[in-house]
Amino acid sequence: RETGRLFPAGDAAALAALLRELINDDTTARAMGHAARGLYEKAYAPEVNLTRLLDIYGEAVAERLPR
């Protein structure tokens, strides 16, 4: 599902057009918001990243321990 829209860097008119489109289309704006929240919870939530970070640290420490 779509979580956002892209526009050319520095193109204020394109940004304004996209914002107007979302302001005028509540259904799309809400759908994008829900999709973005789902992506965040799946990939970027602190719980997810903490687990990944602890795994990385664990691997790094294990590599340095004498055998």
Side-chain angles (χ1 to χ4, degrees), residues 15-40:
L15 173 58
L18 288 173
L19 290 174
R20 269 193 299 280
E21 182 182 325
L22 291 174
I23 289 168
N24 292 322
D25 186 353
D26 188 56
T27 301
T28 299
R30 286 184 185 278
M32 287 173 61
H34 288 296
R37 178 64 187 221
L39 175 63
Y40 163 79

Side-chain angles (χ1 to χ4, degrees), residues 7-13:
F7 61 94
D11 189 342

Side-chain angles (χ1 to χ4, degrees), residues 56-67:
I56 291 168
Y57 284 150
E59 290 172 16
V61 168
E63 289 176 6
R64 296 212 174 242
L65 291 176
R67 294 178 188 203

Side-chain angles (χ1 to χ4, degrees), residues 31-57:
M32 287 173 61
H34 288 296
R37 178 64 187 221
L39 175 63
Y40 163 79
E41 290 173 351
K42 181 178 175 185
Y44 302 107
E47 304 81 30
V48 173
N49 286 311
L50 179 59
T51 301
R52 290 178 186 162
L53 187 58
L54 290 174
D55 289 344
I56 291 168
Y57 284 150

